[in-house]
Amino acid sequence: GTSPAVWAEYEPAIRRWEYVLGWPAPPPAEPGPAGRPRLSAAFCEWMIGLPPGFVTGVPGIPRTRQLKIIGNGYGKGSRVSQ
């Protein structure tokens, strides 16, 4: 997983979710076009319990669309809400 310094007070929750899912959390941010950090679609995918690459591994889907797809995946019937 990612360094504890990245997670700060959220580290216990991150570690529990890693244990539940069975795979480590990806980094929460990635470099944006101007080099500034931006939210990682892979981290969002992990947060809702999707396997790595379920959305982010599909060729041709831009990051903004990946985030929308992942965000729309949360709700009744999703792994998170059960």
Side-chain angles (χ1 to χ4, degrees):
T2 305
S3 162
V6 171
W7 306 122
E9 70 268 22
Y10 302 106
E11 185 179 4
I14 294 293
R15 299 300 174 218
R16 281 191 303 271
W17 195 230
E18 286 177 327
Y19 178 77
V20 168
L21 293 176
W23 57 85
E30 63 188 26
R36 292 180 21 191
R38 66 180 184 180
L39 182 62
S40 162
F43 180 69
C44 295
E45 184 176 60
W46 175 84
M47 283 196 324
I48 68 167
L50 294 173
F54 190 82
V55 175
T56 59
V58 178
I61 302 177
R63 178 188 158 273
T64 53
R65 178 61 74 186
Q66 290 174 352
L67 289 169
K68 186 171 187 172
I69 292 167
I70 293 164
N72 286 340
Y74 176 78
K76 188 171 182 174
S78 74
R79 185 176 190 160
V80 172
S81 67
Q82 293 178 349

